[in-house]
Amino acid sequence: MANKKNTTPGTISKIQELRKQEISTDTLTQGIFEGNKALLAKAITLLESTNPEHFEKANTVIEKCLAQPNSSIRLGITGVPGVGKSSFIEALGTLLTSKGKKVAVLAVDPTSSLSKGSILGDKTRMQSLSKDPNAFIRPSPSGSSLGGVAQKTRESIILCEAAGYDVILVETVGVGQSEIAVHSMVDFFLLLKLSGAGDELQGIKRGIMEMADAIAINKADGDNLERAKLAATEFSRALHLYPPKANGWVPKVLKCSATENRGIQEIWGMVEDFVGQNRENGHFIKNRQLQNRNWFIQTVDEQIKQFFHQKESFNKAQKKMLKAIDEHKISPFYAAKVLLEDITKEL
């Protein structure tokens, strides 16, 4: 009967009205500091908005949150679709909350081609963790951003840290160049791999192997256990071919089974060792400073692009150049040069 009362037309209308109400930046910020999940989610929605007014409000909230001290660990988790990222994150998140830590999961979902919204698959797969009072799961649509990493993921990390979350887990779609984008915003980069599915060969690619701070062979259970051991050996050999990391860390290869909850504690222990070593030698702070610099440069590039595309004269000139390119009257490279020279004369 109680559920019936809560779903009356009047109650639903009231909830919808509350959702539409504008919330002040002070209320949002205070709610974030108090760990209010609803207001944290509202703030993330605000910063994901393309509305210019929302941009200013979101920036105010972010600046206040940046001032909050924190000692969080940012952990990026990537791997090909089907490697078991969501199951692994749920197992790791559950372990961490059992240790009294607050865990935020920023799961970048594939974007619906129809609604342009997040499909929300990750949240439905992490049913147990999503009910944990010490966990916060936020699926965000990947949109058109690099390799499926939401454009506002960095800002979302800042808000989650201000809300008191000790560990921020960033999961990617696992396609394209998402590994590069995630690596540029986390402290520790974990690559999940499979054995017995051709993934050993795919793993021995210079770029991704050099970025990984560790490799975890997931689904190391049952009939797949022996293959996982062989894969771990192959990956370990491959890692020795690459130069040592500047921070002195030697990447490791571990085996785990998210479904059987084996090897998860060992992986977390390794992450703690990594963070402890890098805090001690100063690379932890240096890495974050470098990431903030890169974040600034990338944001400037994005805003310059938006600035020009919002100018009517730019769009007209661009259409003119596209027509000339189609008619083979000018090369795309030279057309871009002429376009920018003409537009910058107006500034």
Side-chain angles (χ1 to χ4, degrees), residues 110-124:
T111 302
S112 166
S113 59
L114 298 176
S115 67
K116 306 301 179 186
S118 174
I119 296 171
L120 303 181
D122 285 301
K123 193 164 187 178
T124 57

Side-chain angles (χ1 to χ4, degrees), residues 35-54:
N36 186 311
K37 290 184 184 181
L39 290 178
L40 172 59
K42 188 89 174 176
I44 293 176
T45 299
L46 187 71
L47 66 86
E48 288 176 344
S49 172
T50 55
N51 186 320
E53 290 181 14
H54 291 171

Side-chain angles (χ1 to χ4, degrees), residues 204-220:
I204 308 173
K205 288 183 176 178
R206 187 173 185 87
I208 191 168
M209 290 288 283
E210 283 184 328
M211 286 189 293
D213 293 306
I215 295 172
I217 314 295
N218 196 21
K219 302 185 180 181

Side-chain angles (χ1 to χ4, degrees), residues 10 17 27 35-36 57 84 102 152 179 222 230-231 247 261 284 288 295 343-344:
E17 190 60 36
T27 301
N36 186 311
K57 286 186 70 175
K102 291 184 68 180
K152 300 297 183 179
E179 292 87 359
L230 289 172
N247 59 12
N261 204 27
F284 190 90
R288 289 226 175 158
W295 179 13
I343 291 298
T344 49

Side-chain angles (χ1 to χ4, degrees), residues 148-200:
V149 179
Q151 291 180 353
K152 300 297 183 179
T153 302
R154 286 184 177 89
E155 289 93 332
S156 298
I157 290 173
I158 301 299
L159 299 189
C160 289
E161 288 173 338
Y165 288 93
D166 307 296
V167 183
I168 317 296
L169 304 177
V170 183
E171 177 195 5
T172 72
V173 177
V175 293
Q177 298 297 309
S178 59
E179 292 87 359
I180 296 170
V182 170
H183 184 260
S184 70
M185 64 179 79
V186 297
D187 305 312
F188 189 96
F189 183 64
L190 179 65
L191 173 62
L192 291 182
K193 303 297 286 183
L194 288 170
S195 61
D199 215 24
E200 297 95 328

Side-chain angles (χ1 to χ4, degrees), residues 5 109 131 138 140 142 184 199-200 258 261 279 314:
K5 274 185 182 178
D109 274 348
K131 296 173 186 173
R138 172 68 185 206
S140 297
S142 58
S184 70
D199 215 24
E200 297 95 328
N261 204 27
R279 286 192 193 278
F314 176 85

Side-chain angles (χ1 to χ4, degrees), residues 187-306:
D187 305 312
F188 189 96
F189 183 64
L190 179 65
L191 173 62
L192 291 182
K193 303 297 286 183
L194 288 170
S195 61
D199 215 24
E200 297 95 328
L201 184 62
Q202 291 297 312
I204 308 173
K205 288 183 176 178
R206 187 173 185 87
I208 191 168
M209 290 288 283
E210 283 184 328
M211 286 189 293
D213 293 306
I215 295 172
I217 314 295
N218 196 21
K219 302 185 180 181
D221 46 47
D223 296 337
N224 207 37
L225 186 56
E226 288 304 313
R227 287 193 291 268
K229 289 178 180 177
L230 289 172
T233 302
E234 290 300 316
F235 283 126
S236 294
R237 286 174 182 165
L239 286 172
H240 287 298
L241 300 175
Y242 303 119
K245 290 182 178 287
N247 59 12
W249 175 257
V250 179
K252 297 174 173 55
V253 181
L254 287 83
K255 303 180 295 295
C256 67
S257 170
T259 55
E260 295 186 1
N261 204 27
R262 285 193 289 107
I264 309 299
Q265 174 61 58
E266 288 74 12
I267 290 173
W268 176 245
M270 174 188 59
V271 173
E272 287 186 309
D273 290 342
F274 173 90
V275 172
Q277 177 181 312
N278 280 271
R279 286 192 193 278
E280 193 173 325
N281 62 26
H283 276 277
F284 190 90
I285 293 174
K286 284 181 183 177
N287 182 53
R288 289 226 175 158
Q289 288 174 338
L290 179 61
Q291 289 179 355
N292 282 337
R293 285 170 172 260
N294 290 336
W295 179 13
F296 164 72
I297 292 167
Q298 289 171 13
T299 304
V300 168
D301 288 343
E302 287 172 13
Q303 292 188 13
I304 288 173
K305 184 179 176 181
Q306 288 175 11

